[in-house]
Amino acid sequence: MGNNTGKAANRLAISAMANVTRIEKDQLRTLQRKFMELAKRQGNPNTITSDEFGEALQAVGIHESDAEILNRLFVMLDKSGDDQINFREFAVGIAPLITGDVMEKMAFSFQLYDQEESGRISQVRPVPSHVGASEGSVAENSSG
């Protein structure tokens, strides 16, 4: 019975996340499975560290090799500041890159470079055009 309760709670959490992120439920479940596979590598089945972060982004079609951008993204998504990202932080954090319109992607990019949270950016290095340009779904990008 406990296992069924856990599955029901997970379905409810996925439904709620789908409403917030506008990512399809099936895509979220696929992403969650991949996320948990990555998380288990470091011993904590519920969070990833910066070591797994780049691979988690690749699961959604974001192929970034710039260490500075990956670090900024990781810090931006690590809302608790514990150097780990749980699935909710990850899915909600990357949703603008996957399902966002142009304005949401621009706001995300601005937030990425506004490190002091001052509402201003003093120097910008261009974000590679492939960041956030994913056209395929999570399910399409997760084959492999």
Side-chain angles (χ1 to χ4, degrees), residues 11 23 35 37 43-44 47-48 61 69 74 109 111 128 137 143:
R11 280 194 303 272
I23 301 172
F35 184 93
E37 287 171 15
N44 185 339
T47 62
I48 60 172
I69 290 176
F74 185 84
S109 295
Q111 184 181 5
S137 69
S143 62

Side-chain angles (χ1 to χ4, degrees), residues 42-105:
Q42 293 290 330
N44 185 339
N46 299 311
T47 62
I48 60 172
T49 64
S50 58
D51 294 337
E52 297 94 14
F53 185 61
E55 195 171 342
L57 288 174
Q58 289 179 10
V60 294
I62 300 171
H63 303 281
E64 181 52 57
S65 59
D66 186 316
E68 183 181 349
I69 290 176
L70 287 175
N71 186 53
R72 284 185 186 176
L73 276 171
F74 185 84
V75 169
M76 190 170 103
L77 301 183
D78 181 16
K79 299 296 184 194
S80 61
D82 61 357
D83 295 324
Q84 297 180 18
I85 297 175
N86 63 38
F87 179 67
R88 186 194 60 74
E89 288 173 323
F90 182 74
V92 172
I94 64 164
L97 296 176
I98 298 172
T99 60
D101 60 23
V102 171
M103 292 303 291
E104 290 168 323
K105 288 178 181 181

Side-chain angles (χ1 to χ4, degrees), residues 22 29 31 36 41 71 95 98 102 113 123 141:
R22 297 184 314 241
R29 281 190 284 274
L31 181 57
M36 295 305 171
R41 290 183 191 171
N71 186 53
I98 298 172
V102 171
Y113 282 99
Q123 182 180 12
N141 291 323

